[in-house]
Amino acid sequence: LILSPVPPVGTTMKLDLIPYPGFGCPYSLLTPIVPTALPTVNVSGDQLICLGSSANINFNFTGSPPWNLQYTDGTLTKQINVNTSPFVLNVQPGTSTKYTVLSVSDASCTNNNPNAVVNITVVNNAALFQVSGGGNDCANGNGKPINLSGSVVGFKYQLLLDGVATGSPLLGTGTALSFGNQKKAGTYTVQASISSNGSCNTSWRNYRNDVCK
């Protein structure tokens, strides 16, 4: 039995069953109007990825399966039928993309305002910066500065001395970075990687630091 328009929640509906004459007595059924909760979806997976890499978006549903999920990447609108929760969607955007859930339906209802968004930021690991500094320094000198001409937010930058990490990594700021004065002789390299997962590695080599005797 479908009621239209839907009566307010809490209303008690009365259904009178009237048999044909001679086939029993009238009977009444009383039933309250109980709301059915809308299905919801919780989405997670905001992350930074390298150009050419993929990312997982995680969906956790409430309600009764199966679910029908409609989402957009800002260009295309797609639909997915989902039978189990949680559900993982693998995507490979070529540029930074916001994925927005437009609606989610379960076996009973449709939620047209699920308020679920994930942002995948794509970075180009071929971004080139220049390492500067180094030079000659005496044994009791102050060392020579090592600098990087730029950086990307979400990356970490590790200074290497002859291929071995030295000091703590610096987080990208979107501007130039300074690793301070370095006193040890050798070849200094800056290695960049995404701070959250260590991927997207890129390295830039510096001039040698030489210490006079």
Side-chain angles (χ1 to χ4, degrees), residues 59-138:
F59 298 85
N60 284 277
F61 297 90
T62 66
S64 302
W67 295 274
N68 179 269
L69 178 73
Q70 186 179 68
Y71 74 94
T72 179
D73 60 8
T75 301
L76 299 176
T77 297
K78 301 180 181 181
Q79 290 195 36
I80 304 175
N81 292 318
V82 180
N83 293 312
T84 58
S85 178
F87 171 75
V88 177
L89 175 67
N90 185 263
V91 296
Q92 189 177 13
T95 61
S96 296
T97 301
K98 179 171 72 172
Y99 294 87
T100 304
V101 178
L102 301 176
S103 68
V104 57
S105 303
D106 70 353
S108 302
C109 300
T110 297
N111 183 350
N112 289 312
N113 189 27
N115 192 29
V117 174
V118 163
N119 291 287
I120 306 296
T121 303
V122 179
V123 294
N124 186 352
N125 60 337
L128 297 178
F129 300 114
Q130 298 296 320
V131 179
S132 62
N136 295 321
D137 190 34
C138 291

Side-chain angles (χ1 to χ4, degrees), residues 157-170:
Y157 297 84
Q158 177 65 59
L159 185 64
L160 308 178
L161 172 58
D162 294 331
V164 179
T166 178
S168 299
L170 302 181

